[in-house]
């Protein structure tokens, strides 16, 4: 069984945020409530740049997490993948969604984890920027990042198509899969057609059947990315508008 | 000393980009047994390399001692450290420090690398100057440096490292991109570090290490071997756009044959 924890998750409804809530739910861990189940950061109020939050994450981004560590003191962590590594290292002793530290599969999971962190996340993020949030429409920027995002989807699609379990590594769904899930689920927002990638689409939908993922994706508020697939591009554009204000304000602030 | 593998670790790389040198720096610092498989950038998205890394990016390693193939420099770092840094020269034993090292490595991989890379692209390699794109990435780079400056400022003067009181692999991972900062931002070395004296000292200390100097000597030799200019474009070709077009044209011609 999992040991006693005192986890506090700082998050909001984004592809990086739900990685952590999915892993917490998959492991059946309890995490500290604040109103809802977590401390919700409100980008529109720039909560992620307030001093109390920067104490936890000097980088001013979600997700971040605090827990009482083995030594009885608080540990503060940021960067979604390092948080996921921490959670399975400490609480997934039965290796439900991970592999033993140092095993071949462990390194392969790490491989995809870094691929998501250094590739899929930043590139799809840049696509969203140029496609939805940038103050001016730059066709080159949109194409550049759309091509790269599609190339990355293709890489994953090929890997999944040749995997006998249908997961990225070995015989089970791991933090490598959960790390990518929120981004792939947000393909419609990015303007990428998931139907181009059949194995990827199947993987995305199969993971939805897991109670842990299903619960975790709705933290701290309902996950609506999949519903966007049924919307027209104009309707998605309308929804993106709501984010545009804080994204652009944030850019100004960061430029100071 | 580190545990040295009896068989050399094979490192696949194309010489220009910074990420492969991250791995060589670590191998040199640990004094591990390795060989370089240097190949041309034109072949990263082709067999046989894509059999090693389906994502078509360098670096990748093959370790015959454990029969493991691995790509993504961050994953390679953690593997080499766990397997060969047995005396903890560049890492910590304690769990807490281990998680913090990992956190900073992820920050480097997702926060530093991609934005420096995109800035460099719009600054030098893309033919058309798109000022708003250059500005976006330049701001993000300055922000990343200020995050690091704040973290170092909060630490004692004799502990100017990201984790604990010594250099770890987490510090080293930032070196190859910061090494190219003047070029990426198109500014002088002094301008680049304006307002970030601690990050500058931290970085300059690491590039003074013999292991980094050796890494850069190897790079210079391999660049020369391929007849490449500083930016990775072959001598005689004007721009990266042109280089990519040439590659595509050759690929198309090859397919027709
Ligand atoms: N590499 C980081 C990326 C985190 C990230 O991009 N967080 C976004 C939300 S998905 C954020 O907090 N943005 C707020 C801002 O930029 O002000 C991770 O995976 O944790
Ligand atoms: N300050 C950010 C605000 C937008 C943001 O935080 N986007 C997140 C996604 S919600 C992102 O692109 N993260 C990149 C990553 O995860 O690597 C920007 O200008 O891009």
């Amino acid at each position: 069984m999992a040991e006693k924890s005192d986890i506090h998750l700082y998050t909001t409804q984004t592809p990086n945020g739900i990685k952590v809530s999915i892993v917490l739910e998959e492991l059946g861990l309890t995490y500290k409530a604040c109103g809802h189940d977590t401390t919700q950061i409100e980008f529109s109020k720039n909560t992620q740049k307030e001093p109390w939050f920067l104490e936890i994450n000097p980088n001013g981004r979600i997700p971040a997490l605090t827990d009482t560590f083995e030594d009885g003191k608080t540990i503060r962590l940021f960067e979604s993948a390092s948080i996921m590594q921490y959670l399975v290292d400490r609480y997934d002793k039965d290796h439900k969604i991970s592999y033993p530290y140092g095993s071949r599969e462990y390194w392969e999971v790490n491989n995809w984890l870094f691929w998501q962190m250094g590739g899929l996340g930043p590139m799809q993020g840049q696509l969203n920027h140029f496609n939805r949030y940038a103050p001016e429409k730059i066709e080159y920027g949109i194409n550049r990042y759309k091509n790269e995002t599609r190339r990355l989807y293709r890489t994953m699609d090929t890997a999944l198509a040749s995997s006998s379990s249908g997961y990225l590594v070995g015989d089970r769904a791991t933090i490598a899969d959960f790390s990518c899930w929120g981004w792939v689920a947000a393909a419609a927002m990015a303007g990428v057609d998931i139907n181009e990638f059949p194995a990827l689409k199947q993987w995305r939908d199969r993971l939805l059947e897991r109670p842990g993922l299903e619960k975790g994706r709705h933290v701290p508020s309902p996950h609506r990315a999949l519903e966007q697939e049924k919307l027209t591009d104009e309707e998605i554009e309308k929804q993106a508008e709501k984010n545009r204000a804080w994204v652009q304000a944030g850019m100004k602030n960061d430029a100071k | 000393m580190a545990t040295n593998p009896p068989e050399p670790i094979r490192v696949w790389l194309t010489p220009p980009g910074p990420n492969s040198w991250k791995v060589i720096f670590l191998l040199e610092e640990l004094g591990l047994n390795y060989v370089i498989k240097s190949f041309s950038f034109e072949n990263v998205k082709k067999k046989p390399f894509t059999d090693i890394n389906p994502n078509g990016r360098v670096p990748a390693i093959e370790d015959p001692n454990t029969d493991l193939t691995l790509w993504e420099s961050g994953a390679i770092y953690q593997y080499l450290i766990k397997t060969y840094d047995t005396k903890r020269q560049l890492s910590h034993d304690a769990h807490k420090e281990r998680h913090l090292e990992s956190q900073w490595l992820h920050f480097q991989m997702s926060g530093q690398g991609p934005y420096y890379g995109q800035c460099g692209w719009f600054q030098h390699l893309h033919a058309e100057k798109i000022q708003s794109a250059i500005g976006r990435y330049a701001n993000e780079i300055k922000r990343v440096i200020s995050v690091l400056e704040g973290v170092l400022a909060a630490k004692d003067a004799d502990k100017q490292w990201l984790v604990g009181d010594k250099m770890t692999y987490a510090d080293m991972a930032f070196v190859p991109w910061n090494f190219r900062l003047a070029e990426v931002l198109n500014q002088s070395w002094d301008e680049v570090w304006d307002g970030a004296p601690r990050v500058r000292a931290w970085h300059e200390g690491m590039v003074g290490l013999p292991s980094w100097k050796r890494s850069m000597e190897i790079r210079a030799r391999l660049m020369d071997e391929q007849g490449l200019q500083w930016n990775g474009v072959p001598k005689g070709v004007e721009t990266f756009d042109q280089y990519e077009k040439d590659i595509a044209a050759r690929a198309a011609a090859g397919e027709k044959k």
Side-chain angles (χ1 to χ4, degrees):
Chain A
M1 252 328 286
E3 46 181 308
K4 210 166 146 270
S5 71
D6 176 30
I7 297 170
H8 207 136
L9 171 63
Y10 303 84
T11 193
T12 187
Q13 181 49 254
T14 70
N16 289 324
I18 64 174
K19 291 174 192 175
V20 180
S21 45
I22 287 172
V23 168
L24 286 165
E25 294 293 348
E26 284 280 340
L27 293 177
L29 292 169
T30 48
Y31 42 111
K32 259 276 161 59
C34 177
H36 194 238
D37 265 3
T38 62
T39 297
Q40 182 164 7
I41 305 280
E42 288 194 57
F43 285 159
S44 58
K45 297 189 188 139
N46 233 8
T47 321
Q48 78 279 14
K49 309 291 171 184
E50 286 175 14
W52 70 268
F53 183 71
L54 294 178
E55 285 272 312
I56 299 168
N57 182 1
N59 190 35
R61 293 222 163 162
I62 66 93
L65 176 142
T66 60
D67 191 7
T68 303
F69 196 61
E70 294 153 1
D71 57 8
K73 290 190 238 147
T74 300
I75 186 167
R76 292 181 270 255
L77 290 169
F78 59 93
E79 289 295 323
S80 53
S82 108
I83 297 173
M84 291 190 288
Q85 285 178 321
Y86 165 77
L87 290 173
V88 295
D89 186 77
R90 184 140 177 228
Y91 299 110
D92 189 21
K93 302 282 188 220
D94 306 332
H95 301 294
K96 245 187 86 199
I97 54 168
S98 64
Y99 291 99
Y101 184 38
S103 62
R104 168 183 298 280
E105 288 81 6
Y106 176 93
W107 299 119
E108 289 173 357
V109 165
N110 227 19
N111 199 144
W112 285 103
L113 212 51
F114 278 104
W115 175 85
Q116 187 286 311
M117 290 294 280
L120 182 61
M123 293 302 109
Q124 193 170 327
Q126 299 323 293
L127 173 54
N128 283 334
H129 171 79
F130 282 100
N131 204 12
R132 309 280 182 206
Y133 304 130
E136 54 174 320
K137 276 265 176 256
I138 300 168
E139 214 47 50
Y140 172 76
I142 299 174
N143 292 336
R144 170 177 177 77
Y145 295 109
K146 187 172 280 184
N147 289 339
E148 180 63 6
T149 303
R150 287 179 54 241
R151 188 188 73 78
L152 292 164
Y153 276 36
R154 204 155 50 234
T155 301
M156 200 173 154
D157 189 60
T158 308
L160 290 171
S162 67
S163 150
S164 53
S165 69
Y167 299 115
L168 284 172
V169 180
D171 59 1
R172 66 198 80 166
T174 65
I175 54 175
D177 299 279
F178 301 135
S179 183
C180 298
W181 193 85
W183 285 100
V184 173
M189 170 55 89
V192 174
D193 181 6
I194 190 70
N195 295 308
E196 271 186 62
F197 313 97
L200 191 61
K201 186 178 182 189
Q202 228 178 44
W203 165 90
R204 182 197 73 182
D205 294 342
R206 190 153 27 87
L207 282 171
L208 268 178
E209 292 160 17
R210 298 172 71 98
L213 181 133
E214 179 53 29
K215 195 159 174 219
R217 76 182 172 112
H218 296 297
V219 174
S221 55
H223 179 251
R224 303 216 183 279
L226 292 171
E227 298 161 20
Q228 290 181 328
E229 214 170 308
K230 298 178 196 85
L231 304 180
T232 64
D233 205 56
E234 283 97 73
E235 288 168 321
I236 298 177
E237 189 69 22
K238 258 227 171 78
Q239 296 196 347
E241 225 158 78
K242 280 183 269 166
N243 293 334
R244 196 168 295 143
W246 76 258
V247 172
Q248 292 188 2
M251 281 170 64
K252 279 214 190 82
N253 212 46
D254 286 344
K256 272 181 199 152
Chain B
M1 278 318 303
T3 305
N4 218 348
E7 297 270 340
I9 297 165
R10 289 190 290 276
V11 186
W12 292 75
L13 59 80
T14 62
N19 287 327
S20 301
W21 301 105
K22 195 156 107 189
V23 172
I24 300 300
F25 184 24
L26 187 72
L27 289 165
E28 286 287 337
E29 185 62 28
L30 286 173
L32 298 184
N33 183 11
Y34 75 95
V35 284
I36 292 179
K37 298 275 177 194
S38 172
F39 65 104
S40 163
F41 178 75
E42 298 189 20
N43 296 325
V44 283
K45 300 269 186 324
K46 293 182 198 156
K47 278 177 185 280
F49 185 64
T50 50
D51 289 334
I52 292 169
N53 180 0
N55 191 40
R57 289 269 166 103
V58 293
I61 65 163
E62 292 175 293
D63 187 345
N65 305 284
T66 55
D67 189 28
L68 186 72
T69 300
L70 211 56
W71 37 281
E72 286 293 324
S73 56
I76 295 171
Y77 252 46
Q78 293 192 327
Y79 166 74
L80 291 175
I81 288 290
K82 161 80 163 100
T83 313
Y84 298 112
D85 186 23
T86 45
K87 292 288 183 319
R88 303 275 167 257
Q89 278 168 260
L90 301 172
S91 56
H92 291 84
D93 233 348
H95 282 174
K96 194 173 211 159
E97 277 74 21
R98 212 177 83 206
H99 293 303
L100 295 176
E101 286 159 5
S102 187
Q103 162 187 288
W104 286 110
L105 180 62
H106 279 291
F107 177 61
Q108 186 279 315
M109 288 289 286
S110 73
Q112 187 209 34
Y115 300 97
Y116 281 51
Q118 296 317 301
C119 193
W121 170 270
F122 280 106
Q123 193 83 257
H124 297 288
L125 301 179
H126 187 54
E128 178 199 353
K129 286 274 166 287
I130 305 173
Q131 216 46 56
S132 65
I134 297 175
R136 166 176 174 78
Y137 295 114
N139 285 337
E140 185 60 16
I141 290 171
K142 291 286 185 187
R143 196 189 69 78
V144 166
I145 292 173
S146 76
V147 169
L148 294 170
E149 183 69 17
V151 169
L152 293 176
K155 296 198 69 172
D156 295 343
D158 60 342
K159 297 194 176 97
Q160 290 290 297
W161 305 106
L162 293 175
V163 182
D165 54 7
K166 65 176 184 194
M167 180 174 84
T168 66
Y169 73 87
D171 301 288
M172 294 172 70
F174 285 86
V175 167
W177 270 120
N178 278 339
F179 186 68
R180 305 192 47 176
L181 201 49
E183 170 198 320
V184 164
L185 289 174
N186 210 5
Q187 289 182 339
S188 73
W189 195 240
D190 284 335
E191 278 175 300
V192 153
W193 298 113
D194 188 34
R198 292 178 186 84
V199 187
R200 178 178 186 162
W202 170 71
H203 172 75
E204 289 180 349
M206 288 189 282
V207 296
L209 292 170
S211 55
W212 177 255
K213 291 191 176 139
R214 279 198 300 276
S215 306
M216 288 303 93
E217 281 160 19
I218 299 169
R219 179 178 187 270
R221 184 158 50 72
L222 297 180
M223 291 285 281
D224 206 51
E225 218 174 77
Q226 294 189 10
L228 298 174
Q229 306 172 53
W230 64 273
N231 59 1
V233 173
K235 291 172 184 153
V237 179
E238 287 295 326
T239 64
F240 207 86
D241 280 348
Q242 189 55 48
Y243 182 39
E244 288 206 315
K245 280 193 194 114
D246 291 352
I247 295 174
R250 273 200 293 276
E255 267 160 31
K256 272 184 215 119
K257 259 181 233 158

